[in-house]
Coordinates of all heavy atoms in Angstrom, one line a residue:
S121 N -6.3 16.1 -8.1 CA -7.2 15.0 -8.4 C -6.8 14.3 -9.7 O -6.8 13.1 -9.8 CB -8.6 15.5 -8.6 OG -9.1 16.0 -7.3
E122 N -6.4 15.1 -10.6 CA -5.9 14.6 -11.9 C -4.6 13.7 -11.8 O -4.5 12.7 -12.3 CB -5.7 15.7 -13.0 CG -5.5 15.1 -14.4 CD -6.6 14.2 -14.9 OE1 -7.8 14.5 -14.6 OE2 -6.3 13.3 -15.6
E123 N -3.7 14.2 -11.0 CA -2.4 13.5 -10.7 C -2.7 12.2 -10.0 O -2.1 11.2 -10.3 CB -1.5 14.4 -9.9 CG -0.9 15.5 -10.7 CD -0.1 16.5 -9.8 OE1 -0.6 16.8 -8.7 OE2 1.0 16.9 -10.3
Y124 N -3.6 12.2 -9.0 CA -4.0 10.9 -8.4 C -4.5 9.9 -9.4 O -4.1 8.8 -9.4 CB -5.0 11.1 -7.2 CG -4.4 11.7 -5.9 CD1 -4.9 12.9 -5.4 CD2 -3.4 10.9 -5.2 CE1 -4.3 13.3 -4.2 CE2 -2.9 11.4 -4.0 CZ -3.4 12.6 -3.5 OH -2.9 13.1 -2.4
K125 N -5.5 10.4 -10.2 CA -6.1 9.5 -11.2 C -5.0 9.0 -12.2 O -5.1 7.8 -12.5 CB -7.1 10.3 -12.0 CG -8.4 10.6 -11.4 CD -9.3 11.4 -12.3 CE -10.5 11.9 -11.5 NZ -11.4 12.7 -12.4
E126 N -4.1 9.8 -12.6 CA -3.0 9.3 -13.5 C -2.2 8.3 -12.8 O -1.8 7.3 -13.5 CB -2.2 10.5 -14.0 CG -2.9 11.4 -15.0 CD -2.1 12.7 -15.2 OE1 -1.0 12.9 -14.8 OE2 -2.7 13.6 -16.0
R127 N -1.8 8.5 -11.6 CA -0.9 7.6 -10.9 C -1.6 6.3 -10.7 O -1.1 5.2 -10.8 CB -0.4 8.2 -9.6 CG 0.7 7.4 -8.9 CD 1.5 8.2 -8.0 NE 2.3 9.2 -8.7 CZ 3.1 10.0 -8.0 NH1 3.2 10.1 -6.7 NH2 3.8 10.9 -8.7
I128 N -2.9 6.4 -10.2 CA -3.7 5.2 -10.0 C -3.8 4.3 -11.3 O -3.7 3.1 -11.3 CB -5.0 5.5 -9.4 CG1 -4.8 5.9 -7.9 CG2 -6.0 4.4 -9.5 CD1 -6.0 6.6 -7.3
E129 N -4.1 5.0 -12.4 CA -4.3 4.3 -13.7 C -3.0 3.7 -14.1 O -3.0 2.6 -14.6 CB -4.8 5.3 -14.7 CG -5.3 4.6 -16.0 CD -6.3 3.5 -15.8 OE1 -7.2 3.6 -14.9 OE2 -6.2 2.5 -16.5
L130 N -1.9 4.3 -13.9 CA -0.6 3.8 -14.3 C -0.3 2.5 -13.5 O 0.1 1.5 -14.1 CB 0.5 4.8 -14.0 CG 1.9 4.6 -14.5 CD1 1.9 4.6 -16.0 CD2 2.8 5.7 -14.0
I131 N -0.6 2.4 -12.2 CA -0.4 1.2 -11.4 C -1.4 0.2 -11.8 O -1.1 -1.0 -12.0 CB -0.5 1.6 -9.9 CG1 0.6 2.5 -9.5 CG2 -0.5 0.3 -9.1 CD1 0.4 3.1 -8.1
R132 N -2.7 0.6 -12.0 CA -3.7 -0.4 -12.4 C -3.3 -1.0 -13.8 O -3.5 -2.3 -13.9 CB -5.0 0.4 -12.6 CG -6.3 -0.5 -12.7 CD -7.5 0.4 -12.8 NE -7.8 0.9 -11.5 CZ -8.4 2.1 -11.3 NH1 -8.7 2.9 -12.3 NH2 -8.7 2.5 -10.1
E133 N -2.9 -0.3 -14.7 CA -2.5 -0.9 -16.0 C -1.3 -1.8 -15.8 O -1.2 -2.9 -16.5 CB -2.0 0.3 -17.0 CG -3.2 1.0 -17.5 CD -2.8 2.2 -18.4 OE1 -1.5 2.4 -18.6 OE2 -3.6 3.0 -18.7
G134 N -0.4 -1.6 -14.9 CA 0.7 -2.5 -14.7 C 0.3 -3.8 -14.1 O 1.0 -4.8 -14.2

Side-chain angles (χ1 to χ4, degrees):
S121 294
E122 190 57 38
E123 289 171 316
Y124 281 121
K125 284 180 190 175
E126 289 171 4
R127 190 159 290 179
I128 287 166
E129 190 55 36
L130 192 63
I131 297 167
R132 192 177 286 147
E133 287 174 7

